[in-house]
Amino acid sequence: MRRLATFLLAAAAAWGQFKSTVPLVVAPTTVTDAKGHFVDGIEARDLVLFDNNVPQPTQLDYEVYPISLVVAVQTSANSEAILDKLGRSGILFSQVLAGNAGETAVITFSDDVHLQQDFTSDPDDLKKAMRSLRVNGDGGVALDAVMEALHMLREQPANRRRIILVIAEKRVRSATVKLPDVVREVERQNALVYWLTYSPMLTAFTARPKTTNCDKWGKHCEVLPPTALPMDPISSLIVAMQEAYHLTKPDVSELFTKATGARTINFLKRSGLEEAIQAVGAEVHRQYILTYQPQAGTPGTFHPIRVAVRGRPELQARTRAGYWTVQ
């Protein structure tokens, strides 16, 4: 597991090394203490941004920009229990995450990508969109979904913060787009990609009980747990083999979140999902937005960046992985 974690972190850095055509580097930065609590009240003079380990003169943007949020939900057959949980959590996206003046759109993906709800600030629209989520297919084209979300965000006003919240497995089952193309577009838009993820095998046991054998008035029903109809041994073995193969694929959730300075949050139950949404909302509304003009350099050179709090080594500052020079 330690070797795998090391590999994934290295891959995140490597795949986070994408070119930027934007001369101004924007670095949303989250500052937390040793217990993971957000730290407010940090001044511009307290934050030091290092580009290739060299301190840079930066600006701290105090303006509050409205958020354009795209929620991308996996709707494959193994996500049914998650869709049930999301159906009762729609209001959190508009009121907790996007916030005042924010707009939220919803897309779904499995074998392909579908628009569920275009950008809206109406919580009723979002609740309706979430309640209408249905299983559709067996695939998991997460990369296609992220790229579609970026296409939608590209049409939003330039003064809006761009955030993608993916609710899906950690790994991509298939794709029609290439990973480098997606991360280049993420970088170009200075977008944040958060990933709420789960184990399809475990979350199936947290689904609400199903009803069957109802009378003609629908009042008296026999309640069955989600596992009341187990698979036959051969089908179970096939599913287990498919999932084992799927686990050998790269963890794209960590790749995107590490590269953009966001984070991956795992959940199991509905309460965990709602807590994860609230945690993302709290983070994006308490980030420090640092900007600076990078020095001209050799084209194609990757510049890792990091942020530290001056004189406060006990505080942790998290930001994007870096950028490529194109000048």
Side-chain angles (χ1 to χ4, degrees):
M1 285 299 295
R2 182 173 297 177
R3 290 183 178 180
L4 176 61
T6 303
F7 165 76
L8 290 175
L9 287 175
W15 279 345
Q17 298 172 1
F18 30 77
K19 297 180 181 179
S20 173
T21 58
V22 181
L24 186 70
V25 175
V26 180
T29 302
T30 302
V31 180
T32 54
D33 61 18
K35 295 183 178 181
H37 300 145
F38 299 116
V39 178
D40 299 321
I42 301 294
E43 300 292 338
R45 63 178 179 271
D46 301 322
L47 295 172
V48 185
L49 186 145
F50 297 87
D51 183 326
N52 268 339
N53 289 323
V54 178
Q56 302 294 313
T58 58
Q59 298 289 331
L60 180 57
D61 198 337
Y62 292 97
E63 184 173 351
V64 178
Y65 294 101
I67 290 173
S68 289
L69 167 70
V70 178
V71 180
V73 183
Q74 184 173 343
T75 55
S76 52
N78 61 4
S79 304
E80 183 175 7
I82 301 304
L83 303 186
D84 179 65
K85 296 172 176 59
L86 279 170
R88 293 167 284 167
S89 304
I91 194 170
L92 294 176
F93 295 108
S94 60
Q95 295 190 352
V96 175
L97 214 168
N100 294 334
E103 290 190 333
T104 303
V106 181
I107 60 176
T108 61
F109 66 94
S110 180
D111 301 322
D112 47 24
V113 183
H114 297 278
L115 176 64
Q116 189 80 6
Q117 170 63 56
D118 208 345
F119 285 103
T120 180
S121 57
D122 189 337
D124 291 333
D125 289 342
L126 291 173
K127 287 191 290 185
K128 182 179 179 181
M130 290 298 172
R131 288 172 179 167
S132 63
L133 293 175
R134 297 292 183 271
V135 169
N136 180 22
D138 297 306
V141 290
L143 287 182
D144 297 68
V146 174
M147 183 63 92
E148 178 59 28
L150 290 165
H151 289 162
M152 296 171 65
L153 290 171
R154 188 168 55 194
E155 303 301 320
Q156 293 297 292
N159 68 333
R160 302 184 74 88
R161 295 186 64 192
R162 289 157 166 74
I163 298 175
I164 300 173
L165 179 66
V166 183
I167 304 176
E169 301 171 80
K170 293 182 177 181
R171 295 168 173 84
V172 175
R173 292 184 178 270
S174 59
T176 64
V177 295
K178 295 181 179 180
L179 180 62
D181 295 334
V182 182
V183 292
R184 273 195 295 268
E185 185 63 18
V186 167
E187 164 67 2
R188 192 185 73 82
Q189 296 194 33
N190 288 313
L192 286 169
V193 181
Y194 286 88
W195 210 290
L196 307 187
T197 189
Y198 52 86
S199 166
M201 297 183 68
L202 293 178
T203 52
F205 293 94
T206 67
R208 289 189 300 175
K210 307 298 182 181
T211 58
T212 187
N213 296 335
C214 299
D215 60 23
K216 64 180 180 179
W217 296 282
K219 294 183 178 180
H220 302 286
C221 301
E222 178 185 356
V223 178
L224 296 177
T227 55
L229 298 175
M231 296 183 183
D232 62 83
I234 295 179
S235 298
S236 298
L237 178 60
I238 292 174
V239 170
M241 292 176 63
Q242 290 174 335
E243 292 302 317
Y245 170 75
H246 184 51
L247 291 175
T248 65
K249 297 184 178 181
D251 184 343
V252 293
S253 69
E254 288 291 333
L255 300 181
F256 275 105
T257 57
K258 293 287 186 183
T260 63
R263 60 176 172 147
T264 301
I265 303 178
N266 298 299
F267 69 92
L268 180 62
K269 299 180 179 180
R270 179 191 171 194
S271 59
L273 170 63
E274 294 182 348
E275 289 171 2
I277 297 171
Q278 292 170 346
V280 174
E283 178 167 308
V284 299
H285 291 294
R286 299 172 76 172
Q287 287 175 326
Y288 299 92
I289 310 300
L290 295 174
T291 61
Y292 72 103
Q293 188 77 38
Q295 298 294 321
T298 304
T301 302
F302 178 68
H303 286 241
I305 65 175
R306 62 184 175 88
V307 177
V309 183
R310 195 189 307 274
R312 302 286 301 277
E314 77 279 9
L315 300 183
Q316 180 181 0
R318 186 177 75 250
T319 191
R320 59 192 284 188
Y323 67 96
W324 285 89
T325 57
V326 295
Q327 296 176 340

